[in-house]
């Protein structure tokens, strides 16, 4: 069975002077203001597509790593993942994503954690969807 998640954006005006709102329609979890300046200049209290991608990627990656760790017989106490999405106009848009994960995983060595973290990067559905972008990873136990 396939599950469809929905979001919707309403944009008004030109790219540089306009603004918009994106809503998370499936969950109803929120509506967020958008503006070009939040992509190219400063966030100014508004989000942008890259920040939403970072949120999706960090969430998906954490879930994928949790599943891999549990399957390894070393379920995590906690996984804390950050995703840094770089938007660079000179490089044509999204230039890369860097994941930083810190895990609390009893009974696992640092090298084992790094190996499983790398596996999760490859198997995460969002990583797969974003494979056109260079994705790097820093993994450590905390």
């Amino acid at each position: 069975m396939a599950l469809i998640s929905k979001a919707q954006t309403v944009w008004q005006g030109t790219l540089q002077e306009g603004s918009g709102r994106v809503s998370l329609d499936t969950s109803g979890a929120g509506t967020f203001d958008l503006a070009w300046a939040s992509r190219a200049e400063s966030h100014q209290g508004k989000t942008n597509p890259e920040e939403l991608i970072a949120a999706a990627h960090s969430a998906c990656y954490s879930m994928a790593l949790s599943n891999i760790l549990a399957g390894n017989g070393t379920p995590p106490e906690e996984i804390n993942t950050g995703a840094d999405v770089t938007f660079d106009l000179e490089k044509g848009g999204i230039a890369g994503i860097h994941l930083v994960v810190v895990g609390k995983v009893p009974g696992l060595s640092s090298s084992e954690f790094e190996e499983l973290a790398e596996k999760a990067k490859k198997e995460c559905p969002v990583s797969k969807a974003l494979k056109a972008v260079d994705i790097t990873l820093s993994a450590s136990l905390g």
Side-chain angles (χ1 to χ4, degrees):
M1 177 175 113
L3 181 66
I4 297 173
S5 296
K6 296 182 179 188
Q8 184 161 340
T9 299
V10 175
W11 186 266
Q12 297 174 322
T14 66
L15 176 62
Q16 277 82 18
E17 286 83 36
S19 63
R21 291 180 64 84
V22 59
S23 61
L24 307 181
D25 293 349
T26 303
S27 65
T31 300
F32 306 95
D33 293 330
L34 301 163
W36 170 254
S38 69
R39 289 181 99 172
E41 298 166 21
S42 68
H43 288 277
Q44 304 173 349
K46 297 183 180 185
T47 193
N48 58 54
E50 292 73 32
E51 185 177 35
L52 297 170
I53 288 171
H57 204 175
S58 67
C60 185
Y61 177 83
S62 292
M63 295 167 81
L65 180 55
S66 175
N67 187 50
I68 286 170
L69 290 166
N72 186 59
T74 53
E77 289 180 4
E78 180 177 286
I79 296 171
N80 184 332
T81 305
D84 300 334
V85 176
T86 301
F87 182 76
D88 187 334
L89 286 172
E90 292 177 8
K91 294 184 179 178
I94 297 175
I97 300 170
H98 184 65
L99 298 171
V100 178
V101 63
V102 178
K104 292 182 183 176
V105 189
L108 200 63
S109 71
S110 291
S111 62
E112 291 170 317
F113 182 71
E114 290 170 12
E115 181 180 320
L116 295 171
E118 191 64 39
K119 180 178 179 184
K121 183 184 87 167
K122 293 174 184 161
E123 293 183 10
C124 165
V126 172
S127 290
K128 289 179 180 180
L130 299 172
K131 65 184 174 183
V133 177
D134 183 34
I135 301 171
T136 57
L137 173 67
S138 297
S140 62
L141 291 171

